[in-house]
């Protein structure tokens, strides 16, 4: 078997997964696309391991062993990622990535001390309190 066939298939799978990560807005579909990219890497690892083992008969098949580790890590990653997505869905009512990004704290909101990151007051009440403190110290 030529090395080009699995390499081309792997690159097509990886590009499909990359498109899915960049174009999808649903968090579950993004996780599935990441899994597709990992499977493309696994296919490449096994193909190169088989190709290299033909040259040397006494090999350890490290590509196949690494693929097993990658599959185990991917399963754990999907389990944890799905749990996080379900927790966010229960809390916010959506798994749409754009809507979750919109509901995040914006930089112009006041922090715990009532000031925005640029040092200005977050609201008019805090501004009045700051003016009073400035007059009292002057």
């Amino acid at each position: 078997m030529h090395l080009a066939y699995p390499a081309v298939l792997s690159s097509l799978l990886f590009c499909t997964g990359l498109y899915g990560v960049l174009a999808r807005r649903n968090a579950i579909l993004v996780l599935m696309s990441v899994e597709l990219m990992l499977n493309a890497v696994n296919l490449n690892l096994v193909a190169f391991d088989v190709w290299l083992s033909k040259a040397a008969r006494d090999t350890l098949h490290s590509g196949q062993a690494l693929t097993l580790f990658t599959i185990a890590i991917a399963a754990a990653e999907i389990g944890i990622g799905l749990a996080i997505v379900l927790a966010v869905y229960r809390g916010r009512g959506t798994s749409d990535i754009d809507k979750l990004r919109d509901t995040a704290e914006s930089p112009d909101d006041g922090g715990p001390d009532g000031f925005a990151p640029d040092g200005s007051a977050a609201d008019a009440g805090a501004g009045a309190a700051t003016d009073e403190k400035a007059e009292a110290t002057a």
Side-chain angles (χ1 to χ4, degrees):
M1 178 174 80
H2 294 285
L3 185 61
Y5 298 135
V8 168
L9 179 63
S10 175
S11 64
L12 288 175
L13 283 175
F14 191 84
C15 289
T16 304
L18 185 65
Y19 174 75
V21 167
L22 296 176
R24 299 292 179 198
R25 297 296 171 229
N26 191 346
I28 295 174
L29 291 177
V30 169
L31 287 174
M32 288 174 60
S33 298
V34 168
E35 189 72 23
L36 191 62
M37 291 168 56
L38 286 173
N39 285 332
V41 170
N42 287 339
L43 178 64
N44 242 352
L45 283 172
V46 171
F48 275 97
D49 182 54
V50 169
W51 183 65
L52 291 175
S53 69
K54 289 181 181 179
R57 293 289 177 206
D58 299 328
T59 59
L60 296 175
H61 296 289
S62 57
Q64 293 178 13
L66 190 59
T67 297
L68 289 176
F69 285 120
T70 306
I71 290 171
I73 290 171
E77 175 254 335
I78 288 296
I80 291 171
L82 190 59
I84 291 171
V85 168
L86 288 176
V88 168
Y89 180 77
R90 285 182 183 165
R92 304 251 176 123
T94 184
S95 64
D96 189 8
I97 294 174
D98 286 337
K99 290 182 182 175
L100 294 177
R101 192 177 304 143
D102 292 342
T103 58
E105 184 178 17
S106 63
D108 59 327
D109 288 343
D113 57 355
F115 290 95
D118 62 353
S120 62
D123 58 355
T130 306
D131 292 340
E132 291 173 6
K133 286 180 185 178
E135 289 176 9
T137 57

